[in-house]
């Protein structure tokens, strides 16, 4: 009917309220990746500084987060999610490859994703440490998720006859510590090796766990 008023659509500049909210959150996380992951670091960043870096107001910050710790928590999960996506993509591409080739592809994907941006390394291995009991619980829970992924790969390899059948949880937990330590130390310049050499060492360690002395792959 001519002249009838339209109901509010909730859109502004072509974006819905949900889209604007998601964009604000992304901008805060992008700014946090730079400030927490480079300089000045999480502990020296203020809400005002983060808001300025994001090009937003402190009022908008508190519409998205309660504290800077909430931002670090979200960023830590995001960094892990990026790495997991790279790992799962490599696993899918090598679904029918032999174990050695598959393990190499998976670790190359993980290492390339994590070390491709030094800020991600700092978020995952440095800034998250010792902040609060809550973030320590999150860090350990996320590490347990990586353990689950390794155990799933080990079970699948055992089912194919490429690895010894056993409970791998304890070994996987220890192996994750080796992965994190070696990747972090390499990225910090404390390991005199190329990234390919680091990946090759991790693959050797994993194969040593999956194929203990005296065990042979099934040939049928």
């Amino acid at each position: 009917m001519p002249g009838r008023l339209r109901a509010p659509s909730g859109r502004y500049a072509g974006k819905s309220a949900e889209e604007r909210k998601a964009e604000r959150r992304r901008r805060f996380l992008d700014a946090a990746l730079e400030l927490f992951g480079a300089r000045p670091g999480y502990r020296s960043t203020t809400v005002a500084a983060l808001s300025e870096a994001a090009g937003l107001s402190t009022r908008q910050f508190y519409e998205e987060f309660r504290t800077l710790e909430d931002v670090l928590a979200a960023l830590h999960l995001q960094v892990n999610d990026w790495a997991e996506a790279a790992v799962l993509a490599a696993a899918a591409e090598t679904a029918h490859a032999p174990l050695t080739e598959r393990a190499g592809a998976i670790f190359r994907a993980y290492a390339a994703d994590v070390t491709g941006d030094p800020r991600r390394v700092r978020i995952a291995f440095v800034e998250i440490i010792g902040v609060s009991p809550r973030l320590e619980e999150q860090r350990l829970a996320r590490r347990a998720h990586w353990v689950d992924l390794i155990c799933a790969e080990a079970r699948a390899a055992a089912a194919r006859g490429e690895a010894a059948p056993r409970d791998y949880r304890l070994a996987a937990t220890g192996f994750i510590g080796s992965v994190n330590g070696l990747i972090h130390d390499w990225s910090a310049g404390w390991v005199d090796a190329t990234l390919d050499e680091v990946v090759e060492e991790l693959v050797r360690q994993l194969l040593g766990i999956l194929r203990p002395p005296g065990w042979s792959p099934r040939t049928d």
Side-chain angles (χ1 to χ4, degrees), residues 90-102 153 160 162:
E93 291 173 0
T94 56
H96 304 293
L99 178 60
T100 301
E101 180 182 336
R102 180 175 172 82
E153 283 292 323
R160 295 191 301 268
E162 293 186 289

Side-chain angles (χ1 to χ4, degrees), residues 99-200:
L99 178 60
T100 301
E101 180 182 336
R102 180 175 172 82
I106 287 173
F107 277 109
R108 279 193 297 274
Y110 175 81
D113 183 86
V114 173
T115 65
D117 186 340
R119 299 173 301 177
R120 297 189 188 186
V121 175
R122 188 164 184 84
I123 294 298
F125 302 132
V126 179
E127 294 297 319
I128 196 70
I129 302 295
V131 173
S132 70
R134 167 206 174 193
L135 286 193
E136 184 64 9
E137 183 177 354
Q138 174 176 301
R139 184 181 70 85
L140 293 176
R142 200 60 184 77
R143 189 165 69 180
H145 181 68
W146 285 111
V147 169
D148 288 340
L149 289 178
I150 290 176
C151 287
E153 283 292 323
R155 286 193 300 270
R160 295 191 301 268
E162 293 186 289
R166 71 180 181 93
D167 184 351
Y168 280 98
R169 182 157 298 278
L170 186 60
T173 301
F175 180 65
I176 284 293
S178 179
V179 172
N180 291 348
L182 188 53
I183 291 290
H184 172 259
D185 288 0
W186 179 85
S187 67
W190 286 93
V191 175
D192 184 16
T194 67
L195 186 57
D196 283 341
E197 290 171 334
V198 168
V199 169
E200 289 170 5

Side-chain angles (χ1 to χ4, degrees), residues 6-27:
R6 295 182 178 179
S9 66
R11 301 187 71 83
Y12 178 78
K15 297 180 181 178
S16 68
E18 291 77 12
E19 290 169 336
R20 295 197 303 275
K21 180 178 178 64
E23 181 179 348
R24 286 195 301 270
R25 184 178 180 85
R26 179 190 56 76
R27 288 170 64 178

